Amino acid sequence: MDMERQRGTDDQLDLFEEQGTVVRPIASGEGGTGPAALEEPQVSSVSEGERALTATLMERICEPENLNRAYKKVKANRGAPGVDGMSVMELRRWLEAHREDLVVSLLDGSYQPQPVRGVQIPKPGGGVRQLGIPTVVDRFVQQAILQVLDPLLDPTFSESSYGFRPGRNAHQALRQAQGYVAEGRAIVVDLDLEKFFDRVNHDVLMSRLARRIDDKRLLRVVRRFLEAGMMRNGVCVERHQGTPQGGPLSPLLANLLLDELDRELERRGHCFCRYADDCNVYVRSEAAGERVMASLTKFLEKRLRLRVNRTKSAVARVWECKFLGHRILWDGRLGIAPESLKRVKGRIREITRRNRGISLGRMISELNSYLTGWVTYYRYAECRTHLQRLEEWIRRKLRCVRLKQRKRAKPIADFLQRLGVPEWRAWILALSGKGWWRMAGSPPAAEAMSIQWFIDQGLVSLTARYTSLHR
């Protein structure tokens, strides 16, 4: 009841009102950003006049309308608590008690973020990905900063950058890559940045941000977010590099840093697509590809202080590599990368584990939720045959689950008979002593739990969904 009342309150009232927020301008020369601002000459596409207009960004960040939008966004995104254990549902109460102090600390540049909570998740290709979950309050502040910085920085980014940008997506990147291949650029330079988000150099990143904005208070707060410690197993570890995935600001800062790579590629006249830290350059010969790989590796490691993973990076024919889960064929058509098929089958195995102890209906519901999004993402790939085989395999997995749920011979025979299998055939299968997987692949099991039976149970048809998306 309290949650419903709070939800209604959030929809009707704003946390921050004009009369409650005192805006106090601070001279842009106060404070500093550390060695980043002094590391290199500030050469940028942003003019001095435009940069001067960014000296009071913190006032815009602290505007009531911006803060209210940030709160609603954080609340809608939900997310796990940070190191302080505060949940998203508790954020409103905290802001009501501390909003004035919070605004003052932002306006004078003294805001101090808390450490992030370190969480490791397995990566599809092996290894682990390090996530950093900020506290809810820090996520709120980052979101408020993002809403002001994004409209300023995003329009200056390259047209060949597609990741984590408003109005841009992976399918647009794939379409551009298809066009390059269709023009005859069948060799791809596939750059893999080793643990990119963990290895971002703070000084280099802050120098790039200082070229675009002139509000020293904001620069100090952003740097504190970068340097906030990471809590692992109860121990706070200092961080001197990296921008952990998990906070609203990280994608924008990553694009800001890698925009220098984009500009270098454009200056050299290369055809490329970049989605976050996944960058592919398309050339016409292997010799050209090797030259590009060598020069870009040198540029990234010397200029941006990023490390290229030489094991995973490659110069190869486009159909031998994957880009955003897809494989681009020699004529520019799209297919599904083999690694993506392995990944989807691994996820299906997790959902359809026979020892989960859940009903078949719930299992089908979880499958539908996952598979609908999956086939929607791959709707532009030519994959009808793959989908048909995948459907057959899924149905056999589910038959296996259903038979195991019946456990013994008589319940299995009764179940098969109710679904139209003759008594003698039902008993032959029930008493066969075969394993569950072999039983699920038998003709009586397929006859009883037919395609139409699965449709009646509500299982989504991948091929039907794929066909409907192509109409």
Side-chain angles (χ1 to χ4, degrees), residues 62-75:
C62 292
E63 287 177 357
E65 188 273 337
N66 185 60
L67 295 176
N68 286 321
R69 279 200 299 128
Y71 168 73
K72 291 171 183 175
K73 182 72 173 177
V74 170
K75 182 171 177 288

mmCIF file with all atom_site columns, all heavy atoms in Angstrom, residues 62-75:
data_model
loop_
_atom_site.group_PDB
_atom_site.id
_atom_site.type_symbol
_atom_site.label_atom_id
_atom_site.label_alt_id
_atom_site.label_comp_id
_atom_site.label_asym_id
_atom_site.label_entity_id
_atom_site.label_seq_id
_atom_site.pdbx_PDB_ins_code
_atom_site.Cartn_x
_atom_site.Cartn_y
_atom_site.Cartn_z
_atom_site.occupancy
_atom_site.B_iso_or_equiv
_atom_site.pdbx_formal_charge
_atom_site.auth_seq_id
_atom_site.auth_comp_id
_atom_site.auth_asym_id
_atom_site.auth_atom_id
_atom_site.pdbx_PDB_model_num
ATOM 1   N N   . CYS A 1 62 ? 21.473 21.616 -11.869 1.00 0.00 ? 62 CYS A N   1
ATOM 2   C CA  . CYS A 1 62 ? 20.702 21.752 -10.624 1.00 0.00 ? 62 CYS A CA  1
ATOM 3   C C   . CYS A 1 62 ? 19.338 22.398 -10.821 1.00 0.00 ? 62 CYS A C   1
ATOM 4   O O   . CYS A 1 62 ? 18.637 22.664 -9.834  1.00 0.00 ? 62 CYS A O   1
ATOM 5   C CB  . CYS A 1 62 ? 21.505 22.553 -9.604  1.00 0.00 ? 62 CYS A CB  1
ATOM 6   S SG  . CYS A 1 62 ? 22.970 21.680 -9.012  1.00 0.00 ? 62 CYS A SG  1
ATOM 7   N N   . GLU A 1 63 ? 18.953 22.670 -12.060 1.00 0.00 ? 63 GLU A N   1
ATOM 8   C CA  . GLU A 1 63 ? 17.610 23.203 -12.287 1.00 0.00 ? 63 GLU A CA  1
ATOM 9   C C   . GLU A 1 63 ? 16.570 22.174 -11.855 1.00 0.00 ? 63 GLU A C   1
ATOM 10  O O   . GLU A 1 63 ? 16.723 20.967 -12.097 1.00 0.00 ? 63 GLU A O   1
ATOM 11  C CB  . GLU A 1 63 ? 17.424 23.555 -13.759 1.00 0.00 ? 63 GLU A CB  1
ATOM 12  C CG  . GLU A 1 63 ? 18.186 24.810 -14.188 1.00 0.00 ? 63 GLU A CG  1
ATOM 13  C CD  . GLU A 1 63 ? 18.039 25.079 -15.674 1.00 0.00 ? 63 GLU A CD  1
ATOM 14  O OE1 . GLU A 1 63 ? 17.395 24.249 -16.360 1.00 0.00 ? 63 GLU A OE1 1
ATOM 15  O OE2 . GLU A 1 63 ? 18.585 26.098 -16.144 1.00 0.00 ? 63 GLU A OE2 1
ATOM 16  N N   . PRO A 1 64 ? 15.498 22.624 -11.202 1.00 0.00 ? 64 PRO A N   1
ATOM 17  C CA  . PRO A 1 64 ? 14.477 21.683 -10.699 1.00 0.00 ? 64 PRO A CA  1
ATOM 18  C C   . PRO A 1 64 ? 13.941 20.737 -11.763 1.00 0.00 ? 64 PRO A C   1
ATOM 19  O O   . PRO A 1 64 ? 13.784 19.546 -11.514 1.00 0.00 ? 64 PRO A O   1
ATOM 20  C CB  . PRO A 1 64 ? 13.384 22.613 -10.173 1.00 0.00 ? 64 PRO A CB  1
ATOM 21  C CG  . PRO A 1 64 ? 14.104 23.864 -9.812  1.00 0.00 ? 64 PRO A CG  1
ATOM 22  C CD  . PRO A 1 64 ? 15.207 24.016 -10.810 1.00 0.00 ? 64 PRO A CD  1
ATOM 23  N N   . GLU A 1 65 ? 13.687 21.261 -12.954 1.00 0.00 ? 65 GLU A N   1
ATOM 24  C CA  . GLU A 1 65 ? 13.122 20.404 -14.000 1.00 0.00 ? 65 GLU A CA  1
ATOM 25  C C   . GLU A 1 65 ? 14.083 19.273 -14.367 1.00 0.00 ? 65 GLU A C   1
ATOM 26  O O   . GLU A 1 65 ? 13.682 18.125 -14.574 1.00 0.00 ? 65 GLU A O   1
ATOM 27  C CB  . GLU A 1 65 ? 12.798 21.263 -15.229 1.00 0.00 ? 65 GLU A CB  1
ATOM 28  C CG  . GLU A 1 65 ? 12.021 20.538 -16.333 1.00 0.00 ? 65 GLU A CG  1
ATOM 29  C CD  . GLU A 1 65 ? 12.926 19.791 -17.312 1.00 0.00 ? 65 GLU A CD  1
ATOM 30  O OE1 . GLU A 1 65 ? 14.112 20.160 -17.417 1.00 0.00 ? 65 GLU A OE1 1
ATOM 31  O OE2 . GLU A 1 65 ? 12.435 18.827 -17.935 1.00 0.00 ? 65 GLU A OE2 1
ATOM 32  N N   . ASN A 1 66 ? 15.384 19.589 -14.435 1.00 0.00 ? 66 ASN A N   1
ATOM 33  C CA  . ASN A 1 66 ? 16.380 18.570 -14.773 1.00 0.00 ? 66 ASN A CA  1
ATOM 34  C C   . ASN A 1 66 ? 16.497 17.535 -13.668 1.00 0.00 ? 66 ASN A C   1
ATOM 35  O O   . ASN A 1 66 ? 16.573 16.321 -13.931 1.00 0.00 ? 66 ASN A O   1
ATOM 36  C CB  . ASN A 1 66 ? 17.731 19.229 -15.020 1.00 0.00 ? 66 ASN A CB  1
ATOM 37  C CG  . ASN A 1 66 ? 18.784 18.234 -15.486 1.00 0.00 ? 66 ASN A CG  1
ATOM 38  O OD1 . ASN A 1 66 ? 18.636 17.588 -16.521 1.00 0.00 ? 66 ASN A OD1 1
ATOM 39  N ND2 . ASN A 1 66 ? 19.852 18.097 -14.713 1.00 0.00 ? 66 ASN A ND2 1
ATOM 40  N N   . LEU A 1 67 ? 16.510 17.970 -12.408 1.00 0.00 ? 67 LEU A N   1
ATOM 41  C CA  . LEU A 1 67 ? 16.621 17.040 -11.287 1.00 0.00 ? 67 LEU A CA  1
ATOM 42  C C   . LEU A 1 67 ? 15.392 16.146 -11.186 1.00 0.00 ? 67 LEU A C   1
ATOM 43  O O   . LEU A 1 67 ? 15.501 14.958 -10.874 1.00 0.00 ? 67 LEU A O   1
ATOM 44  C CB  . LEU A 1 67 ? 16.841 17.810 -9.990  1.00 0.00 ? 67 LEU A CB  1
ATOM 45  C CG  . LEU A 1 67 ? 18.167 18.583 -9.889  1.00 0.00 ? 67 LEU A CG  1
ATOM 46  C CD1 . LEU A 1 67 ? 18.227 19.383 -8.588  1.00 0.00 ? 67 LEU A CD1 1
ATOM 47  C CD2 . LEU A 1 67 ? 19.367 17.645 -9.985  1.00 0.00 ? 67 LEU A CD2 1
ATOM 48  N N   . ASN A 1 68 ? 14.219 16.707 -11.436 1.00 0.00 ? 68 ASN A N   1
ATOM 49  C CA  . ASN A 1 68 ? 13.002 15.889 -11.392 1.00 0.00 ? 68 ASN A CA  1
ATOM 50  C C   . ASN A 1 68 ? 13.014 14.820 -12.490 1.00 0.00 ? 68 ASN A C   1
ATOM 51  O O   . ASN A 1 68 ? 12.613 13.678 -12.271 1.00 0.00 ? 68 ASN A O   1
ATOM 52  C CB  . ASN A 1 68 ? 11.764 16.785 -11.543 1.00 0.00 ? 68 ASN A CB  1
ATOM 53  C CG  . ASN A 1 68 ? 11.468 17.577 -10.284 1.00 0.00 ? 68 ASN A CG  1
ATOM 54  O OD1 . ASN A 1 68 ? 11.612 17.065 -9.181  1.00 0.00 ? 68 ASN A OD1 1
ATOM 55  N ND2 . ASN A 1 68 ? 11.063 18.827 -10.433 1.00 0.00 ? 68 ASN A ND2 1
ATOM 56  N N   . ARG A 1 69 ? 13.483 15.199 -13.683 1.00 0.00 ? 69 ARG A N   1
ATOM 57  C CA  . ARG A 1 69 ? 13.578 14.213 -14.763 1.00 0.00 ? 69 ARG A CA  1
ATOM 58  C C   . ARG A 1 69 ? 14.578 13.122 -14.412 1.00 0.00 ? 69 ARG A C   1
ATOM 59  O O   . ARG A 1 69 ? 14.352 11.947 -14.708 1.00 0.00 ? 69 ARG A O   1
ATOM 60  C CB  . ARG A 1 69 ? 14.010 14.882 -16.066 1.00 0.00 ? 69 ARG A CB  1
ATOM 61  C CG  . ARG A 1 69 ? 12.894 15.577 -16.820 1.00 0.00 ? 69 ARG A CG  1
ATOM 62  C CD  . ARG A 1 69 ? 13.249 15.783 -18.288 1.00 0.00 ? 69 ARG A CD  1
ATOM 63  N NE  . ARG A 1 69 ? 14.423 16.611 -18.447 1.00 0.00 ? 69 ARG A NE  1
ATOM 64  C CZ  . ARG A 1 69 ? 15.479 16.278 -19.172 1.00 0.00 ? 69 ARG A CZ  1
ATOM 65  N NH1 . ARG A 1 69 ? 15.533 15.093 -19.773 1.00 0.00 ? 69 ARG A NH1 1
ATOM 66  N NH2 . ARG A 1 69 ? 16.517 17.093 -19.291 1.00 0.00 ? 69 ARG A NH2 1
ATOM 67  N N   . ALA A 1 70 ? 15.686 13.504 -13.786 1.00 0.00 ? 70 ALA A N   1
ATOM 68  C CA  . ALA A 1 70 ? 16.697 12.517 -13.393 1.00 0.00 ? 70 ALA A CA  1
ATOM 69  C C   . ALA A 1 70 ? 16.122 11.543 -12.376 1.00 0.00 ? 70 ALA A C   1
ATOM 70  O O   . ALA A 1 70 ? 16.360 10.324 -12.462 1.00 0.00 ? 70 ALA A O   1
ATOM 71  C CB  . ALA A 1 70 ? 17.924 13.225 -12.828 1.00 0.00 ? 70 ALA A CB  1
ATOM 72  N N   . TYR A 1 71 ? 15.372 12.049 -11.412 1.00 0.00 ? 71 TYR A N   1
ATOM 73  C CA  . TYR A 1 71 ? 14.776 11.166 -10.408 1.00 0.00 ? 71 TYR A CA  1
ATOM 74  C C   . TYR A 1 71 ? 13.824 10.166 -11.064 1.00 0.00 ? 71 TYR A C   1
ATOM 75  O O   . TYR A 1 71 ? 13.860 8.969  -10.768 1.00 0.00 ? 71 TYR A O   1
ATOM 76  C CB  . TYR A 1 71 ? 14.027 11.987 -9.351  1.00 0.00 ? 71 TYR A CB  1
ATOM 77  C CG  . TYR A 1 71 ? 13.154 11.132 -8.469  1.00 0.00 ? 71 TYR A CG  1
ATOM 78  C CD1 . TYR A 1 71 ? 13.714 10.295 -7.502  1.00 0.00 ? 71 TYR A CD1 1
ATOM 79  C CD2 . TYR A 1 71 ? 11.774 11.109 -8.634  1.00 0.00 ? 71 TYR A CD2 1
ATOM 80  C CE1 . TYR A 1 71 ? 12.923 9.484  -6.714  1.00 0.00 ? 71 TYR A CE1 1
ATOM 81  C CE2 . TYR A 1 71 ? 10.976 10.301 -7.849  1.00 0.00 ? 71 TYR A CE2 1
ATOM 82  C CZ  . TYR A 1 71 ? 11.550 9.487  -6.888  1.00 0.00 ? 71 TYR A CZ  1
ATOM 83  O OH  . TYR A 1 71 ? 10.764 8.675  -6.125  1.00 0.00 ? 71 TYR A OH  1
ATOM 84  N N   . LYS A 1 72 ? 12.974 10.648 -11.949 1.00 0.00 ? 72 LYS A N   1
ATOM 85  C CA  . LYS A 1 72 ? 12.003 9.762  -12.597 1.00 0.00 ? 72 LYS A CA  1
ATOM 86  C C   . LYS A 1 72 ? 12.702 8.713  -13.464 1.00 0.00 ? 72 LYS A C   1
ATOM 87  O O   . LYS A 1 72 ? 12.258 7.559  -13.539 1.00 0.00 ? 72 LYS A O   1
ATOM 88  C CB  . LYS A 1 72 ? 11.021 10.587 -13.432 1.00 0.00 ? 72 LYS A CB  1
ATOM 89  C CG  . LYS A 1 72 ? 10.090 11.445 -12.568 1.00 0.00 ? 72 LYS A CG  1
ATOM 90  C CD  . LYS A 1 72 ? 9.269  12.413 -13.408 1.00 0.00 ? 72 LYS A CD  1
ATOM 91  C CE  . LYS A 1 72 ? 8.416  13.310 -12.515 1.00 0.00 ? 72 LYS A CE  1
ATOM 92  N NZ  . LYS A 1 72 ? 7.691  14.349 -13.284 1.00 0.00 ? 72 LYS A NZ  1
ATOM 93  N N   . LYS A 1 73 ? 13.808 9.102  -14.104 1.00 0.00 ? 73 LYS A N   1
ATOM 94  C CA  . LYS A 1 73 ? 14.552 8.154  -14.943 1.00 0.00 ? 73 LYS A CA  1
ATOM 95  C C   . LYS A 1 73 ? 15.188 7.066  -14.087 1.00 0.00 ? 73 LYS A C   1
ATOM 96  O O   . LYS A 1 73 ? 15.111 5.873  -14.420 1.00 0.00 ? 73 LYS A O   1
ATOM 97  C CB  . LYS A 1 73 ? 15.626 8.917  -15.723 1.00 0.00 ? 73 LYS A CB  1
ATOM 98  C CG  . LYS A 1 73 ? 16.432 8.059  -16.678 1.00 0.00 ? 73 LYS A CG  1
ATOM 99  C CD  . LYS A 1 73 ? 15.608 7.646  -17.877 1.00 0.00 ? 73 LYS A CD  1
ATOM 100 C CE  . LYS A 1 73 ? 16.465 6.947  -18.908 1.00 0.00 ? 73 LYS A CE  1
ATOM 101 N NZ  . LYS A 1 73 ? 15.679 6.474  -20.065 1.00 0.00 ? 73 LYS A NZ  1
ATOM 102 N N   . VAL A 1 74 ? 15.837 7.461  -12.978 1.00 0.00 ? 74 VAL A N   1
ATOM 103 C CA  . VAL A 1 74 ? 16.476 6.484  -12.097 1.00 0.00 ? 74 VAL A CA  1
ATOM 104 C C   . VAL A 1 74 ? 15.431 5.553  -11.503 1.00 0.00 ? 74 VAL A C   1
ATOM 105 O O   . VAL A 1 74 ? 15.636 4.334  -11.400 1.00 0.00 ? 74 VAL A O   1
ATOM 106 C CB  . VAL A 1 74 ? 17.271 7.203  -10.987 1.00 0.00 ? 74 VAL A CB  1
ATOM 107 C CG1 . VAL A 1 74 ? 17.741 6.213  -9.927  1.00 0.00 ? 74 VAL A CG1 1
ATOM 108 C CG2 . VAL A 1 74 ? 18.464 7.930  -11.587 1.00 0.00 ? 74 VAL A CG2 1
ATOM 109 N N   . LYS A 1 75 ? 14.299 6.105  -11.127 1.00 0.00 ? 75 LYS A N   1
ATOM 110 C CA  . LYS A 1 75 ? 13.232 5.286  -10.549 1.00 0.00 ? 75 LYS A CA  1
ATOM 111 C C   . LYS A 1 75 ? 12.694 4.294  -11.576 1.00 0.00 ? 75 LYS A C   1
ATOM 112 O O   . LYS A 1 75 ? 12.431 3.126  -11.270 1.00 0.00 ? 75 LYS A O   1
ATOM 113 C CB  . LYS A 1 75 ? 12.105 6.178  -10.049 1.00 0.00 ? 75 LYS A CB  1
ATOM 114 C CG  . LYS A 1 75 ? 10.960 5.435  -9.380  1.00 0.00 ? 75 LYS A CG  1
ATOM 115 C CD  . LYS A 1 75 ? 10.003 6.423  -8.739  1.00 0.00 ? 75 LYS A CD  1
ATOM 116 C CE  . LYS A 1 75 ? 8.808  5.682  -8.120  1.00 0.00 ? 75 LYS A CE  1
ATOM 117 N NZ  . LYS A 1 75 ? 7.904  5.143  -9.131  1.00 0.00 ? 75 LYS A NZ  1
#
